[in-house]
Amino acid sequence: MSERTAFPVKRVTAAFITLTVVVAFCLLFRDSLAILIYHNALTYTRDGAGVVVKKVMVKGHRVSYLEGGDPEGQKVVFVHGFAANKDVWLELIRLLPDRYHFFAIDLPGHGNTDWDLESYSIENQVAAFKHIVDALKLETFHLVGNSMGGWISFIYTAEHSEQVLTLGLLNSAGIVVLDMPSEYEKLLKQGNNPLLVEKPGDMSAFLAFVMSNPPEIPRIIVHAMELEQIEHAERNRKIFKDLRSSAEVFYQQQKAAEYLNQLKMPTLVLWGKDDRVLSEAIAPHFHRYLEDVSMIILPHVGHAPMIEAAHQTADELLPIWQRVPKQDDSL
């Protein structure tokens, strides 16, 4: 009869204690761990897109931006929307030819830019964007903006048309169709703003609201994104309040038509059909004011086509850009 093996009490106890310590550590430092994983994932994604993080001093403030592609190529500048940052463009940049020279900027009050404006009115944001363009020494470039970034982009283009080769407006703010309010406008009237992340659970709700087909994002990364948004909640409330105030004046004075009617360069108006923030009904109003325009509506896409439908967005932008010859081709 074989001798019965003794139960390894000491080893099991040691393993249990180790596991308990690891679990306790993870729970205690969950937030820090989530942010570390998130930033490592961002670094990996930036590497895959061929971009690096840089900073430029603008009026005494550090402005953070991504740069990649061919320094000798035509410049492309990407402008994000409210409560977003430069990294929303990563998947799109990854899919675009590296013969272009890419810049994705963190606007004042957003991302890693440490520049807080006294007022975030649309006029002040356009002026700040001009200072950033000057600091980066960008003379001519293709300009692409999403949501608030689209609004900044078309005003900037009207004021500095000699610099902008082509314009891409992705679900752009700047026009309101009063008789066809979006779901977002209706929620605002009820006192609910789903674009503000202020408490646990808000980030998941935000992603579900702004995107019809959001990418799979690990829960721990969503948690890290939420922590960063909550940290900046007060600032985001101010940005939104200032922007909303200037928007009311802008809409009442019908300034969008005034600016858009000045634009002669090739322009792409691209919209997600399922946008709950800015209704698809807005897109034709951009089309009617612009002289040289292509309008594309993407089905099953929400407010962020550069994330939800990056391939399709790239496919629509490239023909617009290719209408501008390279410098050596025009000699």
Side-chain angles (χ1 to χ4, degrees):
M1 187 173 179
S2 62
E3 184 178 342
R4 181 178 296 176
T5 304
F7 186 77
V9 176
K10 291 184 178 179
R11 276 189 294 169
V12 171
T13 302
F16 177 76
I17 292 172
T18 301
L19 179 61
T20 301
V21 170
V22 169
V23 170
F25 179 86
C26 290
L27 289 174
L28 186 61
F29 297 100
R30 177 172 177 253
D31 292 354
S32 299
L33 184 62
I35 290 171
L36 177 63
I37 291 171
Y38 174 45
H39 288 168
N40 285 340
L42 274 181
T43 298
Y44 177 81
T45 308
R46 290 166 181 163
D47 289 345
V51 297
V52 295
V53 178
K54 294 187 176 182
K55 294 185 185 299
V56 63
M57 294 302 296
V58 182
K59 296 181 74 65
H61 303 281
R62 286 189 302 274
V63 171
S64 180
Y65 67 99
L66 300 174
E67 183 177 352
D70 181 2
E72 301 301 318
Q74 291 179 351
K75 315 302 184 198
V76 181
V77 179
F78 296 100
V79 190
H80 63 74
F82 168 72
N85 59 55
K86 60 187 178 294
D87 293 303
V88 299
W89 302 104
L90 285 173
E91 180 61 14
L92 177 60
I93 292 173
R94 185 183 70 81
L95 297 171
L96 292 166
D98 60 8
R99 65 177 179 271
Y100 293 99
H101 190 189
F102 302 112
F103 296 82
I105 297 163
D106 274 342
L107 294 169
H110 294 79
N112 298 118
T113 288
D114 70 358
W115 186 6
D116 292 326
L117 301 179
E118 184 176 339
S119 168
Y120 289 89
S121 69
I122 192 65
E123 294 83 4
N124 281 2
Q125 294 207 59
V126 172
F129 180 67
K130 170 61 174 169
H131 288 303
I132 295 169
V133 167
D134 290 347
L136 291 172
K137 296 180 171 56
L138 300 176
E139 296 180 358
T140 60
F141 48 89
H142 304 278
L143 184 55
V144 182
N146 169 244
S147 192
M148 181 188 77
W151 192 6
I152 292 169
S153 295
F154 77 71
I155 295 177
Y156 182 88
T157 302
E159 294 178 347
H160 307 282
S161 59
E162 74 285 353
Q163 289 187 290
V164 180
L165 302 171
T166 69
L167 180 62
L169 300 176
L170 314 185
N171 296 61
S172 178
I175 293 178
V176 166
V177 181
L178 295 176
D179 58 347
M180 296 184 69
S182 68
E183 182 179 346
Y184 180 60
E185 290 291 333
K186 294 174 183 177
L187 288 171
L188 283 179
K189 289 182 179 179
Q190 298 169 12
N192 179 18
N193 188 345
L195 299 188
L196 290 177
V197 176
E198 301 178 293
K199 61 185 185 303
D202 280 357
M203 193 71 213
S204 294
F206 168 85
L207 293 172
F209 189 81
V210 299
M211 289 188 275
S212 177
N213 186 28
E216 296 262 347
I217 304 176
R219 188 177 302 176
I220 194 165
I221 289 181
V222 173
H223 178 63
M225 294 164 65
E226 182 173 76
L227 290 172
E228 293 193 350
Q229 286 289 317
I230 291 173
E231 182 182 353
H232 298 125
E234 184 176 350
R235 185 175 65 186
N236 285 342
R237 283 193 296 271
K238 173 176 172 49
I239 295 171
F240 183 81
K241 180 181 177 182
D242 292 348
L243 198 62
R244 191 73 175 174
S245 296
S246 67
E248 291 175 2
V249 176
F250 191 86
Y251 300 147
Q252 289 168 1
Q253 296 180 358
Q254 297 184 324
K255 287 189 176 181
E258 175 187 331
Y259 286 118
L260 294 169
N261 279 327
Q262 299 179 50
L263 307 185
K264 310 301 179 187
M265 69 286 298
T267 300
L268 172 68
V269 173
L270 185 144
W271 224 272
K273 186 175 181 62
D274 296 342
D275 192 346
R276 300 163 69 187
V277 180
L278 297 171
S279 168
E280 174 210 353
I282 296 172
H285 290 268
F286 279 97
H287 188 273
R288 68 185 277 207
Y289 294 128
L290 291 161
E291 181 174 304
D292 185 357
V293 60
S294 300
M295 187 177 79
I296 305 295
I297 306 297
L298 299 179
H300 314 300
V301 174
H303 190 59
M306 66 285 188
I307 299 174
E308 300 175 74
H311 281 89
Q312 293 162 285
T313 303
D315 288 345
E316 299 299 342
L317 282 170
L318 282 172
I320 302 292
W321 296 350
Q322 289 165 358
R323 290 179 55 189
V324 178
K326 292 186 295 185
Q327 194 169 24
D328 54 358
D329 289 343
S330 60
L331 297 177

